[in-house]
Amino acid sequence: MQACGLIVEYNPFHNGHAYHIQESRKTSGADCIIAVMSGSFLQRGEPAIIDKFHRTKAALSAGVDVVLELPYLYAVQSSDLFAEGAVKTLYKAGVSTICFGSESGDISYFIHGYHALKNNQATYQTALHEQLDKGTSFPEASRLAYKQVGLTTDKMDLAKPNNILGFGYVKSIMDNELPIEPLTINRIKSNYHDQTITGSIASATSIREELLNSGELTKQAQSALPEETISQLLHYKQMANSWHSWEQYFGLVQYRVMTMSTGELAAIHGVDEGLEYRIKKYANNVTSFHEWMRAIKTKRYTWTRLQRVFAHILTNTAKAEMSQVKADPSVPYVRLLGMTKKGQEYLNSRKKQMDVPLITALNQTNDTMAQTEEKASSAYYSILPPRKRNEFRRQELQPPIMI
Amino acid sequence: MQACGLIVEYNPFHNGHAYHIQESRKTSGADCIIAVMSGSFLQRGEPAIIDKFHRTKAALSAGVDVVLELPYLYAVQSSDLFAEGAVKTLYKAGVSTICFGSESGDISYFIHGYHALKNNQATYQTALHEQLDKGTSFPEASRLAYKQVGLTTDKMDLAKPNNILGFGYVKSIMDNELPIEPLTINRIKSNYHDQTITGSIASATSIREELLNSGELTKQAQSALPEETISQLLHYKQMANSWHSWEQYFGLVQYRVMTMSTGELAAIHGVDEGLEYRIKKYANNVTSFHEWMRAIKTKRYTWTRLQRVFAHILTNTAKAEMSQVKADPSVPYVRLLGMTKKGQEYLNSRKKQMDVPLITALNQTNDTMAQTEEKASSAYYSILPPRKRNEFRRQELQPPIMI
């Protein structure tokens, strides 16, 4: 049986993702679709609106056969590490293709880009660091550096978030010489950052905004979401009494920062270049997470980067934890969140060839990465009432979801 | 001008304290009464019902002339260190007497006890550790050890909380050969631990229970409290919408423990002998602070000791912070919380002779002890709504309260 891998966050699972699954199945010709998904926190440093278990159910119902968890230490990272962790996880699971969405829908642009970059690595790096040293933000700096090596934006803008990620996947596959064929499908209609819901294929950002701002399932949001997502969103809200957003964590993260020394803050992953002083400086005067972010934000410290830093503070993710990952960038285990019958069949046929453990509950391994995952999960559920947060945390120890 | 020192927590200030002030003034013949008071957290490891500033106001209105803050690192400690910090603070403030309440009201028992203990130090220590090694609780172990050196309970039970503290004051004065005369007055009517309000002089514990259990000022509580305390309790509740008790911190401290490794937990002051595993073991299953405490408590880990440990976890007070205090057990500064006109006169006359800074706002020193104080204050106010907690924290930077 052949498997095709998708790399996703499903926050929430929406029509764009359903389209992605459908097209990936067609394009790859694979029998089994394996999604590797961020857990409690997402690549852009946000808490997921509903938890990983509810998102897993929605994904399985919409046609994914296996849902694997992308460990926190890979998920809440810049695109390079995110891509590295995701690709390696899918490789361990034995996929022969990985399919991602892009504006162009043409994989040759990515392959060409990879070689252009590889052959001009030094030029690219010099240009990138020149820009970063000037205080240019990472996306803008990389756009300018790409230009230096001939990768202009006329065919493909490599600085667009989805292209950055797609490029990361290709780079990861080719750098590691993995026997995986990268595929891309055309993303249609909406832009990643488009904040208005424009049709049945809406951007993830716009749906999130709509859900979190209104606090309910508006008609517009409903039109962009498949039935199964709607039912998971409603089920989660009924059980937890809210959807997760940064503002709900403001009290916890402010408490945390106010009881840390600057030295302790500097030991947190991502707190670099004196950022600890900037975070502390405003901690006592702000009354919301948004206000704090706005106070700290500069051209260099982008919103996304700062959100990731706050996620690391909230989850107490230390530089020491990350340096282990950097020292040994392999994937220590593959964690199964859910599967269909077909997914189970695939995994049964595949299991014996896997050289890392396939785990379901977090307590089936002593690996640091799983311990970080537990902390992230605990922090994630901390905003719920006592009984709920204990009950929800215990899901981490349950057998995988099956539909 | 002569000053007499009192060592107090004022949680809340009640008729027993008013009596203590009155009698101390009489017994010492001093013009100025200086109270050194615990701040956000108390010796037994509890958050103060209302904050230090409101308690300072109540104390000044009831006849205290100067209120000094006992730093957190001395306040939330076993009786020895609590006494050491309090006595040294009062010494820096220049008191010639220190007056404490006791069941006997006879200082000679304490002096006799001090010498008996000093002359039989080895016997006492051996007996104490024999008992502690058996798993006996500290109060019970010390009672048995005192017996070994001839200090039986017929004249004075040295294992009673108030006597333990009183004895600590005398020991601190005499060990350090301070030019301070210890005085004691008779505590009347109620026992320290008595949980029923029995008259106009009620125990601190019984009043706290009454206030926190009912959540309001019952008639019984009112009868045991002076008018000024009642008005401070009401004012605080009106502003903060609640009185502080451990249950309100349950979410924060559970979040904190769940995102710490056992190694990090073991670096917290008071987390010894594998207690980190015991705390973690139950963290995920309990739904209240009380339930957690009951699950962890053993004969050796007394309620009080565990509450102090949780206070250190909540405030992120590390063993490293404490080892500085142990290495240099001097008082690095004297912090003034409030004063009357007479108190101001006294301090003005005294200031030049002081060999440590007299500070009012916490940012007037860089000392570790003040940084710990800030963390404690931040943690203390963390349960209030955003605007309130910022506003209340800013009190730490205001001039002293004057009435």
Side-chain angles (χ1 to χ4, degrees):
Chain A
M1 215 191 287
Q2 295 265 306
C4 170
L6 312 183
I7 297 157
V8 291
E9 313 218 272
Y10 291 150
N11 185 44
F13 188 95
H14 67 86
N15 289 340
H17 297 304
Y19 171 81
H20 187 179
I21 297 170
Q22 224 173 70
E23 288 299 299
S24 302
R25 208 179 275 282
K26 244 190 274 173
T27 309
S28 68
D31 311 295
C32 179
I33 297 290
I34 302 184
V36 58
M37 183 180 87
S38 300
S40 306
F41 292 84
L42 308 176
Q43 198 251 329
R44 288 166 58 80
E46 285 151 337
I49 292 189
I50 60 175
D51 75 5
K52 52 180 118 168
F53 305 103
H54 284 75
R55 278 146 60 227
T56 295
K57 276 178 212 154
L60 293 174
S61 304
V64 170
D65 299 302
V66 174
V67 180
L68 305 176
E69 177 167 51
L70 180 62
Y72 177 93
L73 285 179
Y74 281 120
V76 187
Q77 297 287 3
S78 61
S79 58
D80 272 8
L81 265 167
F82 177 89
E84 187 85 5
V87 165
K88 285 184 173 170
T89 301
L90 290 171
Y91 170 63
K92 295 292 182 192
V95 301
S96 45
T97 50
I98 286 178
C99 188
F100 58 90
S102 65
E103 267 75 24
S104 67
D106 188 341
I107 198 71
S108 70
Y109 294 158
F110 289 91
I111 310 278
H112 166 69
Y114 174 77
H115 291 297
L117 198 62
K118 191 158 186 173
N119 297 332
N120 301 280
Q121 196 57 249
T123 315
Y124 172 80
Q125 287 297 338
T126 310
L128 181 71
H129 285 106
E130 256 177 42
Q131 288 301 327
L132 289 177
D133 289 347
K134 276 190 208 163
T136 310
S137 74
F138 188 86
E140 185 53 23
S142 71
R143 193 196 305 265
L144 292 165
Y146 282 132
K147 214 173 159 182
Q148 287 284 311
V149 297
L151 295 170
T152 52
T153 56
D154 52 338
K155 285 196 176 153
M156 180 176 74
D157 185 352
L158 269 174
K160 280 201 170 179
N162 268 306
N163 287 338
I164 292 178
L165 287 171
F167 190 69
Y169 307 146
V170 171
K171 186 169 174 298
S172 221
I173 292 170
M174 299 185 82
D175 276 352
N176 294 292
E177 299 177 351
L178 301 179
I180 295 174
E181 184 189 356
L183 302 171
T184 184
I185 54 162
N186 212 328
R187 296 186 81 244
I188 49 171
K189 275 192 179 160
S190 83
N191 268 318
Y192 187 85
H193 278 316
D194 185 355
Q195 295 200 1
T196 327
I197 297 180
T198 46
S200 73
I201 309 286
S203 78
T205 307
S206 65
I207 296 174
R208 272 199 296 281
E209 294 277 325
E210 181 86 8
L211 290 173
L212 296 177
N213 289 342
S214 68
E216 54 185 47
L217 270 168
T218 58
K219 278 197 179 161
Q220 275 196 298
Q222 286 199 31
S223 76
L225 296 171
E227 208 180 299
E228 184 55 23
T229 297
I230 292 173
S231 94
Q232 293 303 328
L233 280 167
L234 291 176
H235 184 252
Y236 194 84
K237 191 157 187 186
Q238 197 190 351
M239 291 188 68
N241 210 21
S242 68
W243 292 322
H244 296 242
S245 70
W246 255 120
E247 284 307 339
Q248 292 162 292
Y249 295 90
F250 172 62
L252 284 179
V253 81
Q254 190 192 33
Y255 150 72
R256 199 48 202 119
V257 166
M258 300 287 292
T259 54
M260 287 170 100
S261 65
T262 47
E264 287 172 316
L265 205 45
I268 294 292
H269 173 48
V271 180
D272 300 314
E273 305 155 4
L275 186 55
E276 64 272 24
Y277 298 102
R278 224 174 142 71
I279 291 172
K280 275 235 158 201
K281 184 177 174 189
Y282 299 102
N284 202 9
N285 294 312
V286 292
T287 53
S288 75
F289 182 75
H290 196 85
E291 196 186 332
W292 204 357
M293 287 282 290
R294 279 188 50 185
I296 301 170
K297 201 188 161 306
T298 61
K299 209 159 57 164
R300 165 169 291 192
Y301 300 125
T302 60
W303 195 270
T304 304
R305 179 173 166 190
L306 287 176
Q307 278 195 154
R308 280 197 291 258
V309 164
F310 274 116
H312 301 324
I313 294 172
L314 181 71
T315 57
N316 191 25
T317 301
K319 286 192 167 77
E321 284 162 81
M322 254 326 281
S323 61
Q324 282 189 37
V325 175
K326 282 179 181 161
D328 174 19
S330 66
V331 178
Y333 58 81
V334 171
R335 185 184 186 200
L336 176 63
L337 288 174
M339 58 190 170
T340 59
K341 277 257 156 68
K342 194 196 281 170
Q344 188 174 27
E345 232 176 275
Y346 172 81
L347 287 174
N348 279 339
S349 73
R350 175 76 205 160
K351 228 182 326 193
K352 281 186 189 149
Q353 293 151 264
M354 282 176 68
D355 58 1
V356 292
L358 177 70
I359 68 165
T360 54
L362 277 184
N363 59 355
Q364 290 167 347
T365 171
N366 283 322
D367 198 273
T368 315
M369 220 168 252
Q371 285 164 16
T372 306
E373 207 65 46
E374 281 194 52
K375 291 195 298 176
S377 178
S378 289
Y380 179 77
Y381 292 124
S382 282
I383 57 165
L384 305 184
R387 266 170 218 292
K388 284 285 161 223
R389 63 183 179 244
N390 295 352
E391 181 192 319
F392 278 39
R393 271 171 195 150
R394 276 195 283 273
Q395 296 175 98
E396 300 286 6
L397 309 177
Q398 298 298 309
I401 292 158
M402 294 211 51
I403 69 159
Chain B
M1 215 190 286
Q2 293 267 307
C4 169
L6 312 184
I7 297 157
V8 291
E9 311 219 272
Y10 291 149
N11 185 42
F13 188 95
H14 67 86
N15 289 341
H17 296 306
Y19 171 81
H20 187 179
I21 297 169
Q22 226 175 69
E23 288 299 298
S24 301
R25 209 180 274 282
K26 244 190 272 172
T27 308
S28 68
D31 311 294
C32 180
I33 297 288
I34 301 183
V36 58
M37 183 180 84
S38 298
S40 306
F41 292 85
L42 309 176
Q43 198 252 329
R44 289 166 56 79
E46 285 151 337
I49 292 190
I50 60 174
D51 75 5
K52 52 180 118 170
F53 305 104
H54 284 74
R55 278 148 59 229
T56 295
K57 275 178 212 154
L60 293 174
S61 304
V64 171
D65 298 302
V66 174
V67 180
L68 305 176
E69 177 166 50
L70 180 61
Y72 176 92
L73 285 178
Y74 280 119
V76 187
Q77 296 287 2
S78 61
S79 57
D80 272 9
L81 266 166
F82 178 89
E84 186 85 6
V87 165
K88 284 183 172 170
T89 301
L90 289 172
Y91 170 63
K92 295 292 183 192
V95 301
S96 44
T97 50
I98 285 178
C99 188
F100 58 90
S102 65
E103 268 75 25
S104 67
D106 187 342
I107 198 72
S108 70
Y109 294 157
F110 290 91
I111 310 277
H112 166 69
Y114 174 76
H115 291 297
L117 198 63
K118 193 160 184 173
N119 298 334
N120 301 280
Q121 195 57 249
T123 315
Y124 172 81
Q125 287 297 336
T126 310
L128 181 70
H129 286 105
E130 256 175 38
Q131 288 300 327
L132 289 177
D133 289 346
K134 278 190 208 164
T136 310
S137 73
F138 189 86
E140 185 54 22
S142 71
R143 192 197 305 264
L144 292 165
Y146 282 132
K147 214 173 159 182
Q148 285 284 312
V149 298
L151 295 171
T152 51
T153 56
D154 52 335
K155 284 193 174 153
M156 180 176 74
D157 184 352
L158 268 173
K160 282 203 169 180
N162 268 307
N163 287 338
I164 291 177
L165 286 171
F167 190 70
Y169 307 146
V170 170
K171 186 170 175 297
S172 222
I173 292 170
M174 300 186 82
D175 276 352
N176 293 292
E177 299 176 354
L178 302 179
I180 295 174
E181 184 190 357
L183 302 171
T184 185
I185 55 159
N186 212 328
R187 295 185 81 241
I188 47 169
K189 274 194 184 162
S190 82
N191 267 318
Y192 187 83
H193 278 314
D194 185 355
Q195 296 200 4
T196 327
I197 296 180
T198 45
S200 73
I201 308 286
S203 79
T205 307
S206 65
I207 296 173
R208 271 198 299 281
E209 293 277 325
E210 181 86 9
L211 290 173
L212 295 178
N213 289 342
S214 67
E216 54 186 45
L217 269 169
T218 58
K219 278 197 178 159
Q220 274 195 300
Q222 285 199 32
S223 76
L225 296 170
E227 206 178 304
E228 184 55 23
T229 297
I230 293 172
S231 95
Q232 292 305 326
L233 279 167
L234 292 176
H235 184 253
Y236 194 83
K237 190 155 189 189
Q238 196 190 355
M239 290 188 69
N241 209 23
S242 68
W243 292 322
H244 297 243
S245 70
W246 255 120
E247 285 306 340
Q248 293 162 293
Y249 295 90
F250 171 62
L252 285 178
V253 82
Q254 190 191 33
Y255 151 73
R256 199 49 201 119
V257 166
M258 300 287 292
T259 53
M260 286 170 101
S261 65
T262 46
E264 286 172 317
L265 206 44
I268 295 292
H269 173 47
V271 181
D272 301 315
E273 306 155 5
L275 186 55
E276 64 274 23
Y277 298 102
R278 222 174 145 70
I279 291 172
K280 275 236 157 200
K281 185 178 173 187
Y282 300 102
N284 200 10
N285 294 311
V286 293
T287 53
S288 75
F289 182 75
H290 196 85
E291 197 187 331
W292 203 358
M293 286 282 289
R294 278 188 48 184
I296 301 170
K297 199 189 165 304
T298 61
K299 209 157 64 164
R300 167 170 289 189
Y301 300 126
T302 60
W303 194 271
T304 305
R305 179 172 165 192
L306 287 176
Q307 278 194 155
R308 280 197 290 258
V309 164
F310 274 116
H312 300 325
I313 294 172
L314 181 72
T315 57
N316 191 23
T317 301
K319 286 193 167 78
E321 284 163 79
M322 254 327 281
S323 60
Q324 283 189 37
V325 175
K326 281 178 182 163
D328 175 18
S330 65
V331 178
Y333 58 81
V334 170
R335 186 184 185 200
L336 176 63
L337 288 174
M339 57 191 171
T340 59
K341 276 257 157 68
K342 193 197 282 171
Q344 187 174 28
E345 231 175 274
Y346 171 81
L347 288 173
N348 280 339
S349 74
R350 175 74 206 163
K351 227 179 335 196
K352 280 187 189 147
Q353 294 151 264
M354 282 174 68
D355 57 2
V356 292
L358 178 70
I359 68 165
T360 55
L362 277 184
N363 58 356
Q364 289 169 347
T365 170
N366 283 323
D367 198 273
T368 315
M369 218 168 254
Q371 285 163 18
T372 306
E373 207 64 47
E374 280 193 53
K375 291 196 298 176
S377 178
S378 289
Y380 180 78
Y381 292 123
S382 282
I383 57 165
L384 305 183
R387 265 170 218 292
K388 284 285 161 221
R389 62 182 181 246
N390 295 352
E391 181 192 317
F392 277 39
R393 273 173 195 148
R394 275 196 284 272
Q395 296 176 98
E396 300 286 6
L397 309 177
Q398 298 298 309
I401 292 157
M402 293 210 53
I403 69 160

